């Protein structure tokens, strides 16, 4: 039968081994996530949002234009928040004329589905649907 000092030493050794193992796994997971994020960013930069876009129009310019169009956001902010498009990576272009975006006010958020048309005068937006989450 183990005395209490030996039992405590064994438990301590098990805790040390588990801590080292979990630290190694956490580091490996973090490296994998970093690699995936780099791959995603490379891929997204290579794929144009729509082949029908006029030359010289960038995805970032369209997203910036959407962020300025607060009248398209269907909800009022709560607790002093103001709805906006604060994370530009949460805008997705779906097909040649649709855009899905996540907007929030810092307390609540939701998705908006928009139809857009790029003209020489600018971008025309139409809110098609929204879902608050």
């Amino acid at each position: 039968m183990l005395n209490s000092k030996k039992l405590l030493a064994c438990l301590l050794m098990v805790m040390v081994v588990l801590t080292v193992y979990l630290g190694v796994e956490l580091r490996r997971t973090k490296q994998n996530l970093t690699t995936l994020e780099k791959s995603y960013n490379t891929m997204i930069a290579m794929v144009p949002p729509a082949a029908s876009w006029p030359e010289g129009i960038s995805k970032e310019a369209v997203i910036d234009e959407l962020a300025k169009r607060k009248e398209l956001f269907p909800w009022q902010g709560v607790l002093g928040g103001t709805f906006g498009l604060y994370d530009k990576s949460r805008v997705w272009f779906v097909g040649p004329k649709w855009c899905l975006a996540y907007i929030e006010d810092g307390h609540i958020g939701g998705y908006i589905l928009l139809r857009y048309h790029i003209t020489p005068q600018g971008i025309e937006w139409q809110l098609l649907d929204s879902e608050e989450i």
Side-chain angles (χ1 to χ4, degrees), residues 40-132:
Y40 172 77
N41 289 335
T42 301
M43 179 193 71
I44 206 80
M46 293 169 37
V47 178
S52 62
W53 283 18
E55 190 173 326
I57 300 289
S58 70
K59 178 180 172 181
E60 290 76 22
V62 176
I63 293 172
D64 288 341
E65 175 65 26
L66 175 59
K68 293 176 190 174
R69 300 288 307 272
K70 303 231 185 254
E71 73 276 5
L72 293 168
F73 305 160
W75 309 293
Q76 297 295 317
V78 298
L79 301 171
T82 302
F83 263 92
L85 178 61
Y86 298 110
D87 183 356
K88 294 180 181 180
S89 70
R90 298 187 82 181
V91 176
W92 302 273
F93 293 94
V94 185
K97 299 290 179 182
W98 299 280
C99 173
L100 179 67
Y102 178 78
I103 59 172
E104 64 176 318
D105 73 347
H107 305 286
I108 58 173
Y111 292 92
I112 55 174
L113 178 64
L114 303 134
R115 182 176 183 83
Y116 66 93
H117 181 68
I118 300 174
T119 69
Q121 293 76 34
I123 304 172
E124 298 171 1
W125 295 94
Q126 178 186 7
L127 179 65
L128 298 176
D129 199 3
S130 61
E131 184 68 33
E132 186 176 347

Side-chain angles (χ1 to χ4, degrees), residues 4-79:
S4 61
K5 287 183 182 181
K6 288 183 180 179
L7 182 60
L8 188 58
C10 286
L11 287 174
L12 185 59
M13 182 60 76
V14 167
M15 288 176 57
V16 167
V17 169
L18 281 174
T19 302
V20 170
Y21 172 76
L22 291 175
V24 168
E25 287 300 310
L26 183 60
R27 180 176 297 219
R28 187 177 309 160
T29 301
K30 185 177 178 182
Q31 289 171 342
N32 288 343
L33 285 173
T34 301
T35 302
L36 284 172
E37 184 179 26
K38 286 178 183 175
S39 297
Y40 172 77
N41 289 335
T42 301
M43 179 193 71
I44 206 80
M46 293 169 37
V47 178
S52 62
W53 283 18
E55 190 173 326
I57 300 289
S58 70
K59 178 180 172 181
E60 290 76 22
V62 176
I63 293 172
D64 288 341
E65 175 65 26
L66 175 59
K68 293 176 190 174
R69 300 288 307 272
K70 303 231 185 254
E71 73 276 5
L72 293 168
F73 305 160
W75 309 293
Q76 297 295 317
V78 298
L79 301 171

